[in-house]
């Protein structure tokens, strides 16, 4: 009978072949079908994670995995009941089902029929058939869950977030990327700010809301009041938030990374609000915010000078803005100014003179810089990463 996880062949053979390099694996794979399958076995026996194709799997494999200390499992494809994994590995700590497009509420419901106290990490990214029904199961039986990935699960609604807020009080990381039905009401549930009986996920430290188009500044108000332990917030591509929302975020003292990439309604005024608050941000990304200009760099120098990473790709900044910022940014390690077409050699010279701790800089598409400015940048003592894509030079200046 065909199998795609080599579970019908001796495990010792698979262990031996796991020590071979690619060339030797190719040689033993030519001996017979059994050796071929064993040589390209998908399980990482010497580690703590197994990557499996669940098609015609032998259920007896999973207790064997657990006996070997395997606690983290990634399912690469799913054509058989997920319950085999859960029943065979009662002490599983991490389950990655990312991209299992045929996983349904029914399949997940058959797998989660009792509490699994050991499970801490669950990745359902791009499992597009999953709905709020599955989140009810998760909230009921996975109460110790700390990380939940739901990116691309486009059928999730505010009701699902209410269920999460009701049952997953230990959750520290939640990814809701491109969950298009999620609105301010759902974020209110997570933050414990609605009239529902849900306490909320008040221990959240990492929250990704990328491309959640229904969110407005009210969501940011809920976040600032309820999710006070939040450290990383990703709001990229959230077109409904504005400068006014930054007022709510400006006093979140635990927040150290904020991503506002491609938030079209964020301008210099928004960064002014952030800079005037009590934030201690380490990372800020306002790339592709068309209304961000040199004034933002002045605000950053005044109130966000502790930044270690700053991304301004495709913003309307110039050498003048660089001049207003660099003297205060002594801790900056990464600067991304790709496609800032107004930056010239003068700006690079200012960076080279003052940002002496810089380890990485993106100059992709900065078409006005020349070899002279580049030579100054390469003299930075800590520089390790330099991106020069689309850097235009004359024939005489071209170097490799």
């Amino acid at each position: 009978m065909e199998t795609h996880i080599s579970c019908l062949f001796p495990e010792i053979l698979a262990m031996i072949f796991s020590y071979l390099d690619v060339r030797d694996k190719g040689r033993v794979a030519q001996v017979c079908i059994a050796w071929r399958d064993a040589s390209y076995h998908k399980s990482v026996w010497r580690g703590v994670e197994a990557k499996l194709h669940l098609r015609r799997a032998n259920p007896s494999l999973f207790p064997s995995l657990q006996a070997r200390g395997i606690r983290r499992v990634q399912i690469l494809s799913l054509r058989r009941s997920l319950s085999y994994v859960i029943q065979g590995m009662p002490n599983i700590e991490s389950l990655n089902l990312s991209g299992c497009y045929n996983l349904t509420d029914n399949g997940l419901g058959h797998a989660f029929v009792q509490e699994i106290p050991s499970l801490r990490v669950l990745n359902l990214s791009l499992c597009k058939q999953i709905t709020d029904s599955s989140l009810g199961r998760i909230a009921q039986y996975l109460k110790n869950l700390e990380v939940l990935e739901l990116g691309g699960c486009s059928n999730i609604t505010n009701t699902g977030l209410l269920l999460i807020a009701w049952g997953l009080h230990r959750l520290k990381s939640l990814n809701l990327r491109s969950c298009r039905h999620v609105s301010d009401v759902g974020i209110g549930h997570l933050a414990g700010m609605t009239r529902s009986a849900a306490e909320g996920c008040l221990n959240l430290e990492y929250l990704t809301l990328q491309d959640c188009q229904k969110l407005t500044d009210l969501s940011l108000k809920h976040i600032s009041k309820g999710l006070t332990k939040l450290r990383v917030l990703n709001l990229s591509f959230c077109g409904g938030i504005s400068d006014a929302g930054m007022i709510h975020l400006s006093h979140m003292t635990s927040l150290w990374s904020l991503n506002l990439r491609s938030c079209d309604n964020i301008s210099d005024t928004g960064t002014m609000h952030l800079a005037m608050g009590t934030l201690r941000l380490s990372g800020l990304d306002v790339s592709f915010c068309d209304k961000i200009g040199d004034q933002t760099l002045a605000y950053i120098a005044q109130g966000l000078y502790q930044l270690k990473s700053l991304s301004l790709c495709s913003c309307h900044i110039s050498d003048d803005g660089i001049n207003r910022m660099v003297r205060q940014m002594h801790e900056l390690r990464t600067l991304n100014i790709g496609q800032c077409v107004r930056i010239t050699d003068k700006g690079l010279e200012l960076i080279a003179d003052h940002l002496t701790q810089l380890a990485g800089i993106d100059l992709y598409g900065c078409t006005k810089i020349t070899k002279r400015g580049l030579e100054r940048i390469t003299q930075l003592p800590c520089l390790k990463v330099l991106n020069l894509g689309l850097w235009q030079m004359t024939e005489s200046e071209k170097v490799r």
Side-chain angles (χ1 to χ4, degrees), residues 124-187:
L124 296 174
S125 298
L126 298 176
C127 296
K128 294 181 177 293
Q129 296 190 60
I130 293 299
T131 71
D132 297 336
S133 176
S134 288
L135 295 188
R137 285 273 183 174
I138 292 169
Q140 182 178 3
Y141 295 122
L142 308 182
K143 293 187 179 298
N144 290 331
L145 208 61
E146 296 180 358
V147 177
L148 179 58
E149 298 282 338
L150 296 172
C153 295
S154 53
N155 289 317
I156 299 300
T157 72
N158 294 329
T159 300
L161 298 193
L162 175 59
L163 294 169
I164 290 175
W166 167 73
L168 302 183
H169 299 150
R170 297 188 179 185
L171 203 63
K172 293 182 179 180
S173 177
L174 178 61
N175 187 337
L176 296 171
R177 175 182 53 83
S178 299
C179 291
R180 60 188 179 185
H181 298 300
V182 170
S183 69
D184 298 333
V185 174
I187 303 304

Side-chain angles (χ1 to χ4, degrees), residues 20 39 48 116 137 151 161 178-179 185 194 205 218 225 227 241 252 256 259 287 321 328 349 356 383-384 395:
L20 300 179
S39 64
V48 294
I116 310 175
R137 285 273 183 174
L161 298 193
S178 299
C179 291
V185 174
T194 59
E205 297 180 6
L218 180 57
K225 289 184 176 297
L227 303 180
I241 67 173
M252 295 188 67
W256 60 266
N259 190 336
S287 298
Q328 306 299 324
E349 290 170 2
T356 55
L383 192 67
K384 296 180 180 178
E395 286 299 321

